[in-house]
Amino acid sequence: LGERMQMLIDDLLTYSRVGRVALATQKCDLNKVVESVLELLSARLKMDNIEIRFDHDLPTVVCDKTRIHEVFMNFISNSIKYNDKTQRWIEIGCRKMKLEDENIGMREVTASYISDNGIGIPEKHQEKIFGIFKRLHAKDKFGGGTGSGLTIAKKIIERHNGRVWVSSKEDEGSTFYFILGEASIDR
């Protein structure tokens, strides 16, 4: 119980820092960020026999590289954690999409995404998952955790004037999409 409380406190502090600390922005190739994340997760990916797929190169953007690394780390880690299939895969890429902007109407954006064939998220919970400490499963199921990772990822993306959303079907998998602010896209 003490360890869990410490994890919750640490995650609250991380969330708080994301909102207060200035972003250290620089030109950044998101492909290299993903390579770094996959290298850190390589033992787990190999142990769980997860196939990594790529669909289109990711863009080069102006962002806080360390923070965006956290975003990819969170989404890819969740794709590993919340998958009970025999043959598991994670796809990483970007695609052009039409997105409704409340100020200017429909616009075309380049959205980065992380997709998997995991357990999926019931439609009624898809907005809730971005709330702080919102877990859809018991604390000891699917490797535990505090339920703060997606909240932190969302906060980082919003600090970059971006948006994040999920498309998911229960028992079929999830796709997390995100865009960063228009000024950050370099290609």
Side-chain angles (χ1 to χ4, degrees):
L1 189 59
E3 286 176 21
R4 179 151 173 78
M5 183 59 73
Q6 186 61 51
M7 284 174 40
L8 291 169
I9 291 168
D10 290 346
D11 286 351
L12 270 175
L13 290 171
T14 299
Y15 181 75
S16 173
R17 272 192 297 273
V18 166
R20 289 181 295 124
V21 176
L23 297 176
T25 59
Q26 62 183 333
K27 195 172 181 178
C28 178
D29 179 350
L30 293 182
N31 296 293
K32 292 188 186 304
V33 173
V34 168
E35 284 175 22
S36 172
V37 170
L38 293 175
E39 187 176 315
L40 288 171
L41 294 172
S42 63
R44 178 79 190 271
L45 291 165
K46 187 174 182 176
M47 181 178 72
D48 289 349
N49 196 31
I50 297 175
E51 175 190 355
I52 298 295
R53 302 174 180 173
F54 292 97
D55 179 43
H56 298 84
D57 284 339
L58 296 169
T60 296
V61 300
V62 175
C63 67
D64 184 321
K65 182 178 178 180
T66 302
R67 294 295 181 201
I68 297 303
H69 187 278
E70 287 180 64
V71 169
F72 278 104
M73 178 65 84
N74 181 279
F75 289 143
I76 294 170
S77 294
N78 280 356
S79 289
I80 295 168
K81 183 192 284 192
Y82 295 105
N83 195 324
D84 58 1
K85 305 290 190 296
T86 305
Q87 293 183 324
R88 303 175 187 187
W89 55 262
I90 298 170
E91 183 175 286
I92 302 160
C94 71
R95 61 178 62 124
K96 297 227 181 260
M97 309 176 82
K98 296 274 187 201
L99 196 62
E100 178 106 27
D101 186 303
E102 60 188 46
N103 297 323
I104 59 174
M106 293 298 282
R107 65 185 173 117
E108 188 171 274
V109 297
T110 300
S112 298
Y113 71 88
I114 297 87
S115 189
D116 63 56
N117 67 331
I119 64 170
I121 304 160
E123 188 173 344
K124 66 181 179 181
H125 296 302
Q126 290 180 13
E127 283 302 313
K128 294 179 190 176
I129 61 170
F130 292 105
I132 190 85
F133 304 134
K134 296 290 183 193
R135 284 185 49 86
L136 301 181
H137 307 282
K139 65 182 176 185
D140 56 343
K141 194 167 183 180
F142 292 107
T146 62
S148 63
L150 291 176
T151 307
I152 292 168
K154 181 179 182 192
K155 180 83 160 187
I156 291 168
I157 291 165
E158 287 173 347
R159 287 286 316 276
H160 284 82
N161 297 315
R163 252 169 91 175
V164 61
W165 66 98
V166 65
S167 174
S168 185
K169 288 191 178 173
E170 198 169 4
D171 297 320
E172 292 182 26
S174 300
T175 302
F176 284 88
Y177 296 95
F178 70 93
I179 58 170
L180 301 176
E182 280 300 302
S184 65
I185 301 292
D186 190 46
R187 91 171 180 174

